[in-house]
Amino acid sequence: MPAFTSPESRKLARTFYEQPDVVEISRQLLGKVLCTRIDGHLTSGVIVETEAYSGRDDRACHANNGLRTPRTEVMYGPGGHAYVYLCYGIHHLFNVVTNHTGLADAVLIRAIEPLDNLPEMKLRRGQNGSGFGLTNGPGKLTRALKIETADSGTDLTGDRIWIEERGIVIPGREIGESPRIGVEYAGEHARRLWRFFVRDNPWVSRLPGNAPAGHTQNGL
DNA sequence: ATGTCGATTTGCT
DNA sequence: GCAAATCGACATA
């Protein structure tokens, strides 16, 4: 029987998310497909950029050293759930909760390459959603997929937000590493190479060298 | 109660 | 290149 024939068989299972090494999961998520079915629209994209955050010994993580708030509570639950939080009061950032209950790890999805239902994603992004700007950033992709803070806690083995294996393989040599973006306040922890991206993929949010993906990028 | 800051994006000078 | 937008969390009172 061929693999990946039905949506259910392609969907990542709880065991994937319960793996103990959040950095390794961040690498493995490259090439997987993030999907939502919201308001009757299926939209999706290939994950091309991720960042690892650990609840222990990581000052960049919202749940560092056991910090519990209403916002971070979901990270202490079982892996395979969404952690969505509001950044700068405006942007909804989507994370995948990993590890077992009590261990608050998460992977931030920073960029996707659009796959299913480009028209609907463009509609949701409006005038600013042209070219690679459609989904080349953590706040942009959530808007294209219509993921919001109200979705925090959503079970990723359900049928609203999930991640699929569609057989896309990213060879190790094509995976780039860098420090995480925008966490300079975390001191030495900010220097860890916990950001992973597909090399030479134009949908990645920032080019090597930390230059913001910008106005010169045209696509589609 | 008030002030500061952020895992960002957008628009304007 | 710079600043505004705007809310949750934290520090201070």
Side-chain angles (χ1 to χ4, degrees):
Chain A
M1 191 152 108
F4 318 134
T5 49
S6 74
E8 278 311 312
S9 70
R10 298 189 303 233
K11 193 175 292 181
L12 298 186
R14 183 84 57 210
T15 51
F16 175 89
Y17 301 108
E18 288 177 331
Q19 296 177 89
D21 186 345
V22 67
V23 176
E24 179 58 26
I25 295 178
S26 299
R27 287 176 153 279
Q28 292 178 12
L29 281 173
L30 296 177
K32 302 292 190 290
V33 178
L34 175 60
C35 310
T36 66
R37 187 183 295 279
I38 293 173
D39 295 341
H41 300 284
L42 170 67
T43 50
S44 76
V46 182
I47 296 170
V48 297
E49 181 179 347
T50 61
E51 282 178 359
Y53 289 85
S54 171
R56 281 91 50 216
D57 192 35
D58 178 13
R59 284 181 51 203
C61 181
H62 293 158
N64 185 40
N65 292 337
L67 178 66
R68 279 183 187 250
T69 70
R71 183 177 71 156
T72 63
E73 189 61 31
V74 64
M75 281 199 274
Y76 291 87
H81 292 257
Y83 167 51
V84 187
Y85 78 96
L86 200 57
C87 187
Y88 291 94
I90 301 175
H91 304 105
H92 305 255
L93 270 55
F94 172 76
N95 299 251
V96 175
V97 174
T98 69
N99 219 325
H100 293 275
T101 299
L103 300 172
D105 297 343
V107 179
L108 171 68
I109 307 301
R110 287 193 54 89
I112 62 174
E113 176 173 341
L115 204 54
D116 297 306
N117 206 344
L118 201 56
E120 179 63 23
M121 290 192 277
K122 283 186 168 180
L123 201 60
R124 289 168 175 168
R125 289 281 290 120
Q127 299 263 338
N128 299 313
S130 65
F132 299 122
L134 185 66
T135 54
N136 67 348
K140 297 176 183 177
L141 72 91
T142 54
R143 190 150 175 206
L145 297 179
K146 206 169 189 288
I147 297 171
E148 301 173 354
T149 55
D151 296 305
S152 199
T154 298
D155 187 344
L156 300 182
T157 66
D159 58 8
R160 181 176 174 85
I161 307 172
W162 69 95
I163 301 177
E164 290 185 13
E165 170 61 79
R166 294 199 192 176
I168 299 172
V169 178
I170 310 296
R173 66 179 178 280
E174 289 182 22
I175 298 179
E177 302 177 359
S178 84
R180 292 169 291 182
I181 305 293
V183 297
E184 292 75 17
Y185 59 87
E188 63 183 46
H189 296 168
R191 294 197 282 275
R192 290 171 176 162
L193 302 181
W194 280 10
R195 172 178 176 246
F196 303 96
F197 56 93
V198 179
R199 289 189 191 282
D200 301 321
N201 186 295
W203 299 94
V204 167
S205 70
R206 304 205 183 188
L207 306 174
N210 221 20
H215 44 281
T216 60
Q217 290 198 35
N218 303 310
L220 307 189

